[in-house]
Amino acid sequence: WTLIYIATAWYIWKRRNLAAHGGRIWERTFFWQMVQQGAREINSLAKPVFERTPTRSIEMWQRPNNGWVKVNVDGSKISEPESVAVEGVLRDDSGNWIAGFQRRIGTCDVTAAELIAIRDGLSLVWVFGYRQVVVESDSLVVVQLIRNADTRFHPLAGVIEGWRQYIDKDWRCKLAHIPRGRNSLVDGMARMAHQALNVEILFSTPSVELQHIMQVEAAGL
């Protein structure tokens, strides 16, 4: 009956518009036929949504291979008030939190912030002593920029070179682009970073909000 009410309201409004603009007035029988047809169309559109069963998202965070760690990073910027921040989370091959960082940096564009976030993430991994790491970023532009063989004349060449210096260290390091849905934990940190009183914070444990995001990820939602 809800669908009938919706369709009826729609066609009453449409009939009124026709009358107001000199159009043909629908007869009662024709009007009721249009309402029934509209209800069937609405039902056909709504049915797949109502009958859909929950499925595991393919855009969930994925654990690294055994013996590896993974650092997810992000650079973020807001305009009111202007604030640029970088964030990252380091986790082991079981998905356990190892460390996280966030810091506000000087004014720059989002591309520069993403590059700085990757460099800071690698620095954190190196200091913690891990030597097999996957770095994930949801910025395809930045990942492609780093993989470009020649960036000598790029405005951000210095930051890119800083990333490559870490790659040349004695360890195994991989860079991967991921959909934004797989970076939800770091996105949560981005909101915190712009609200934090401290310019730079190193987290040994996740906040309550981040713990909730990790639980949701672990549940495959």
Side-chain angles (χ1 to χ4, degrees):
W1 284 106
T2 300
L3 298 178
I4 294 293
Y5 294 148
I6 294 173
T8 302
W10 165 257
Y11 284 108
I12 288 175
W13 175 82
K14 194 170 185 63
R15 187 175 186 274
R16 178 184 177 278
N17 283 347
L18 286 171
H21 294 89
R24 181 173 64 88
I25 303 301
W26 294 341
E27 297 297 334
R28 183 176 302 176
T29 302
F30 178 74
F31 174 79
W32 180 243
Q33 290 174 348
M34 295 296 291
V35 168
Q36 291 177 314
Q37 179 182 341
R40 286 193 295 269
E41 291 176 353
I42 294 172
N43 183 59
S44 66
L45 292 173
K47 190 173 182 181
V49 177
F50 297 146
E51 293 184 351
R52 183 175 60 193
T53 56
T55 57
R56 293 179 65 87
S57 170
I58 61 173
E59 292 195 355
M60 294 185 307
W61 181 84
Q62 304 291 327
R63 298 177 183 179
N65 294 332
N66 291 339
W68 287 69
V69 296
K70 179 175 287 187
V71 58
N72 288 78
V73 298
D74 191 24
S76 57
K77 182 176 183 178
I78 60 175
S79 55
E80 294 294 338
E82 184 172 344
S83 174
V84 181
V86 295
E87 309 84 30
V89 175
L90 175 61
R91 284 178 276 186
D92 63 19
D93 54 14
S94 296
N96 298 316
W97 177 287
I98 297 174
F101 70 90
Q102 67 181 41
R103 69 184 183 99
R104 294 198 304 275
I105 57 179
T107 302
C108 65
D109 61 25
V110 175
T111 300
E114 294 277 0
L115 284 165
I116 293 171
I118 292 175
R119 186 188 63 189
D120 285 4
L122 287 173
S123 176
L124 179 70
V125 176
W126 182 264
V127 168
F128 271 73
Y130 297 100
R131 296 299 179 260
Q132 296 186 120
V133 56
V134 178
V135 185
E136 290 186 338
S137 168
D138 58 26
S139 174
L140 180 59
V141 172
V142 167
V143 171
Q144 291 177 336
L145 188 61
I146 291 175
R147 289 175 175 170
N148 189 344
D150 187 3
T151 54
R152 290 173 298 173
F153 303 107
H154 193 279
L156 300 173
V159 183
I160 298 171
E161 183 58 30
W163 187 91
R164 289 175 176 163
Q165 287 176 359
Y166 274 103
I167 292 299
D168 292 337
K169 291 179 179 290
D170 185 20
W171 63 352
R172 299 174 68 188
C173 181
K174 300 178 181 179
L175 174 65
H177 169 256
I178 56 170
R180 191 171 185 84
R182 294 187 186 179
N183 226 19
S184 57
L185 187 60
V186 185
D187 283 343
M189 293 189 69
R191 293 191 295 272
M192 297 166 51
H194 295 290
Q195 300 171 358
L197 297 177
N198 297 327
V199 174
E200 185 171 354
I201 304 175
L202 181 65
F203 298 92
S204 58
T205 57
S207 66
V208 174
E209 178 185 357
L210 298 181
Q211 288 177 14
H212 173 70
I213 297 175
M214 293 177 70
Q215 291 170 356
V216 170
E217 286 182 339
L221 304 176

